[in-house]
Amino acid sequence: MESLTGAQRKYLRGLAHGLRPVVMVGRQGVSPELLKAVDEALESHELIKVKFVEFKEERRELSSEIAAGTQSELAGLIGNVAIFYRPHPREDKRKITLP
C-alpha cells in the first residue's frame, strides 16, 4: 500500500470523527492477540480507532508498530487514540474512496 498524502490523512480523520474505538491497548501492550484484533477490525471496517488505555507515553512508537504489524497506515494520532486505515483487498468491497 502506498503512503497516504496529508490531504488523505485529513479526510480519513474527518471520517473517523464519529467512530468509537474498537480495540484497546491495555497491560499486554502490542501482543499477537492485539495485532490479530486490529487486523480483523481493519478487514471488516477499513478505518478504525485504537485507544491506548496503558502505555500512553509510548503511543507513537506503538502506533507505528501496530501499523507495520497489520500492513495499515496510521491516519492520525489524537490524544490517546490512533486512527488506522487499510483498504479492502478487493476493490468491489471497498467502503472508503480516498480523494
Side-chain angles (χ1 to χ4, degrees), residues 22-23 36-48:
V22 293
V23 179
K36 184 176 184 225
V38 170
D39 193 52
E40 289 172 356
L42 284 167
E43 186 72 31
S44 60
H45 300 292
E46 291 185 68
L47 184 68
I48 64 165

Side-chain angles (χ1 to χ4, degrees), residues 7-19 47 75 78 83:
Q8 290 171 330
R9 288 181 197 280
K10 185 176 181 180
Y11 175 74
L12 290 171
R13 285 193 306 269
L15 289 178
H17 181 73
L19 299 178
L47 184 68
I78 302 165
I83 302 166

Side-chain angles (χ1 to χ4, degrees), residues 27-94:
R27 281 187 227 141
Q28 303 280 318
V30 178
S31 63
E33 293 81 19
L34 179 107
L35 290 176
K36 184 176 184 225
V38 170
D39 193 52
E40 289 172 356
L42 284 167
E43 186 72 31
S44 60
H45 300 292
E46 291 185 68
L47 184 68
I48 64 165
K49 284 183 174 179
V50 174
K51 183 169 183 159
F52 289 89
V53 179
E54 302 281 334
F55 302 102
K56 293 178 181 177
E57 285 75 36
E58 299 94 11
R59 64 186 179 274
R60 292 191 197 291
E61 297 84 17
L62 294 178
S63 294
S64 298
E65 192 178 324
I66 292 169
T70 59
Q71 290 85 41
S72 62
E73 285 284 328
L74 179 64
L77 190 59
I78 302 165
N80 294 318
V81 177
I83 302 166
F84 293 96
Y85 170 72
R86 185 178 69 196
H88 197 280
R90 290 184 42 195
E91 284 196 37
D92 61 321
K93 296 236 180 189
R94 289 187 184 162

